[in-house]
Amino acid sequence: MSTSETSSNTSSSATHFDDASSTWWDMGGTVGVLAALASSSSSGHGVQDAPLQLEELTGRQWVARNLADSKKCYSNFRLHPSAFHLLHNILVAHHGLRSTHQCDSIEALGMFLWACGTRQCQRQMAERFGRSIDTVSRKFGEVLDAVVSFADTIIKPRDPTFSSVHHKLQRFSPYFDGCIGAIDGTHIPVLVHEHAHDDFINRKGFTSQNVLAVCDMDMRFTFVAAGKRGAAHDMAVFREAVQSSNKRFPHPPKGKYYLVDSGYPLREGYMAPYSKNRYHLTEFEDKGPENLYEIFNYYHSSLRAVVERSLGVLKNKWQIMKGIPLYPKEKQSKIILACFGLHNFAMEHNEHELGVRDMFRHDRYLRSAGQQIVPAQDWLVATANDDIRTVRDWIAAGLYGLA
């Protein structure tokens, strides 16, 4: 055999060996991979199927899902489904709320209530509802205008003549039969631009709007004055509200009055407590009232607490009232008015699961709470022409006689 043939055979044999070897290792590798997959499958570890990608709900679908679950609806929108739909129908029928091809009115209302109830900014709304910032801003403004228009019809006394004595005052009759509600001021935190910072800084050191609120004994607000800067004095806000030319303030009729704290003056129609005596209920926890002035102050404080607790319920329910984002001042004022209106709507439509304690329970220092010395109407007639200071003294003497 020639050298060339030997070389050729040797080369051919090597080639076959390499092909066979390659095939063998390929088969071995395949078997190894299959074995590893089988092992991982049987043991539950190792290679896993990729998770399924679930489609995210649209804003309208998310609102619908909440409306189908009463607890979720109340948690996110601060209203139960029946109240949500009732509010929606009122806003559509009477206050100009409309659907558009981009966003229907149900979704827009849900967006607004979610923002006010859980304190969401526009960027969070845009992410949750899959909308642009521009769309969110526009829809929020449209619903806000509708709710403010609605608030204008619901923030007012049920009976503007105040012709009857509230049933919750009967246990104190006849002494507080002239009471038609309570007044207090509150500071609503707001974000403002740096150039306006000093004007909005209040005495507690944060930027706010100084808001005057009047409420009745049902925890309904009957008047709200928003828009005053936090640096404004409470009396300045009160004076402007009472003297305003728009005549919306529910002035007390002859012989009737609002309960006010010592920060307001004792004047016709506005019953303030005795100064230089204990007043707040916490001051009587260790030791009861000791004279007729403190007896009066104790019951005055227990009744006036209705406005403080109403404001507390309002802020806890509508969380945006704990810090309104950086909007123009006028828009911030509208948000405040809208939340007061929503509070009244909720109070009027069985949304009472608010943990509100009975603020009219403080009668332990009276021998016979509700004992009538004279008929209530006779008391009102007898005191109608007296100045408010005399009326206060008569009430104090009467309460002291029962202690």
Side-chain angles (χ1 to χ4, degrees), residues 24 26-27 40 53 60 137 142 172 215 217 225-226 253 264 301 303 354 370:
W24 171 259
D26 288 345
M27 291 176 61
S40 66
Q53 294 296 322
R60 183 63 177 87
S137 177
E142 290 173 2
F172 303 98
C215 87
M217 292 300 165
Y264 299 91
S301 179
L303 293 175
L354 304 170

Side-chain angles (χ1 to χ4, degrees), residues 241-399:
V242 172
Q243 298 174 354
S244 176
S245 60
N246 61 21
K247 299 181 181 180
R248 295 187 59 83
F249 187 86
H251 294 279
K254 192 75 172 176
K256 301 295 181 81
Y257 53 82
Y258 292 110
L259 299 177
V260 297
D261 67 17
S262 57
Y264 299 91
L266 177 68
R267 53 179 284 186
E268 199 69 30
Y270 304 92
M271 180 78 74
Y274 288 99
S275 60
K276 300 180 182 179
N277 288 274
R278 287 184 294 167
Y279 175 69
H280 297 287
L281 296 178
T282 54
E283 299 178 76
F284 296 100
E285 289 180 352
D286 297 329
K287 191 175 184 180
E290 298 181 303
N291 53 55
L292 81 165
Y293 304 117
E294 289 189 350
I295 283 280
F296 174 86
N297 281 3
Y298 178 83
Y299 289 103
H300 182 287
S301 179
S302 69
L303 293 175
R304 199 192 67 84
V306 66
V307 66
E308 296 175 348
R309 294 183 182 175
S310 299
L311 289 169
V313 168
L314 167 76
K315 294 176 183 179
N316 284 329
K317 190 179 182 75
W318 305 102
Q319 296 280 313
I320 198 171
M321 297 286 275
K322 295 183 178 181
I324 299 180
L326 183 59
Y327 293 118
K329 175 174 169 283
E330 293 73 19
K331 191 169 187 176
Q332 291 176 332
S333 300
K334 284 184 176 183
I335 291 172
I336 292 171
L337 293 174
C339 288
F340 273 96
L342 290 171
H343 168 92
N344 278 11
F345 175 80
M347 295 301 296
E348 291 185 359
H349 292 90
N350 301 317
E351 298 283 329
H352 291 295
E353 56 290 321
L354 304 170
V356 181
R357 296 176 295 167
D358 181 11
M359 68 286 296
F360 304 100
R361 70 191 185 284
H362 302 281
D363 57 3
R364 56 182 173 171
Y365 298 116
L366 298 186
R367 280 203 318 272
S368 177
Q371 175 183 344
Q372 292 197 8
I373 307 303
V374 296
Q377 195 58 36
D378 292 346
W379 173 274
L380 290 175
V381 172
T383 60
N385 294 319
D386 290 318
D387 67 87
I388 194 71
R389 193 176 301 275
T390 301
V391 173
R392 185 177 66 174
D393 290 344
W394 280 19
I395 295 173
L399 292 172

Side-chain angles (χ1 to χ4, degrees), residues 43-316:
S43 63
H45 301 287
V47 180
Q48 301 254 343
D49 290 336
L52 294 176
Q53 294 296 322
L54 298 178
E55 185 176 353
E56 187 175 353
L57 295 176
T58 65
R60 183 63 177 87
Q61 290 170 334
W62 184 75
V63 172
R65 177 168 291 187
N66 277 276
L67 290 174
D69 186 319
S70 184
K71 288 184 178 179
K72 286 184 178 180
C73 185
Y74 190 83
S75 176
N76 285 311
F77 304 143
R78 296 300 193 259
L79 297 173
H80 289 299
S82 58
F84 181 103
H85 287 296
L86 176 60
L87 176 62
H88 172 260
N89 293 340
I90 292 173
L91 296 180
V92 169
H94 305 291
H95 301 284
L97 183 61
R98 297 287 182 266
S99 296
T100 65
H101 69 280
Q102 279 187 319
C103 179
D104 72 10
S105 55
I106 288 282
E107 181 183 348
L109 180 59
M111 183 189 302
F112 178 84
L113 295 178
W114 184 63
C116 292
T118 61
R119 195 178 170 188
Q120 307 293 334
C121 68
Q122 288 192 354
R123 186 169 299 279
Q124 290 167 316
M125 286 187 279
E127 291 177 357
R128 169 58 272 176
F129 286 84
R131 304 288 186 181
S132 67
I133 295 289
D134 180 67
T135 298
V136 164
S137 177
R138 185 170 60 257
K139 301 311 292 186
F140 183 89
E142 290 173 2
V143 181
L144 176 60
D145 287 341
V147 175
V148 168
S149 173
F150 171 60
D152 191 52
T153 68
I154 199 172
I155 302 178
K156 62 181 182 180
R158 286 197 179 102
D159 175 15
T161 65
F162 304 103
S163 58
S164 60
V165 177
H166 196 279
H167 67 89
K168 291 180 180 177
L169 296 172
Q170 291 177 359
R171 74 175 70 178
F172 303 98
S173 185
Y175 304 112
F176 287 103
D177 286 353
C179 175
I180 57 174
I183 295 177
D184 199 11
T186 185
H187 285 271
I188 306 299
V190 296
L191 290 179
V192 298
H193 291 290
E194 187 175 353
H195 66 82
H197 186 268
D198 291 348
D199 289 337
F200 284 86
I201 283 283
N202 58 41
R203 63 182 181 276
K204 296 181 179 179
F206 62 89
T207 54
S208 67
Q209 283 199 19
N210 192 344
V211 177
L212 179 76
V214 181
C215 87
D216 62 20
M217 292 300 165
D218 287 322
M219 297 181 67
R220 291 179 64 262
F221 292 102
T222 57
F223 178 81
V224 178
K228 299 302 282 185
R229 298 172 180 180
H233 192 277
D234 290 349
M235 271 307 299
V237 179
F238 173 75
R239 192 179 300 110
E240 181 173 322
V242 172
Q243 298 174 354
S244 176
S245 60
N246 61 21
K247 299 181 181 180
R248 295 187 59 83
F249 187 86
H251 294 279
K254 192 75 172 176
K256 301 295 181 81
Y257 53 82
Y258 292 110
L259 299 177
V260 297
D261 67 17
S262 57
Y264 299 91
L266 177 68
R267 53 179 284 186
E268 199 69 30
Y270 304 92
M271 180 78 74
Y274 288 99
S275 60
K276 300 180 182 179
N277 288 274
R278 287 184 294 167
Y279 175 69
H280 297 287
L281 296 178
T282 54
E283 299 178 76
F284 296 100
E285 289 180 352
D286 297 329
K287 191 175 184 180
E290 298 181 303
N291 53 55
L292 81 165
Y293 304 117
E294 289 189 350
I295 283 280
F296 174 86
N297 281 3
Y298 178 83
Y299 289 103
H300 182 287
S301 179
S302 69
L303 293 175
R304 199 192 67 84
V306 66
V307 66
E308 296 175 348
R309 294 183 182 175
S310 299
L311 289 169
V313 168
L314 167 76
K315 294 176 183 179
N316 284 329

Side-chain angles (χ1 to χ4, degrees), residues 1-14:
M1 181 180 293
S2 66
T3 303
S4 61
E5 288 178 341
T6 302
S7 176
S8 175
N9 289 338
T10 302
S11 175
S12 176
S13 298

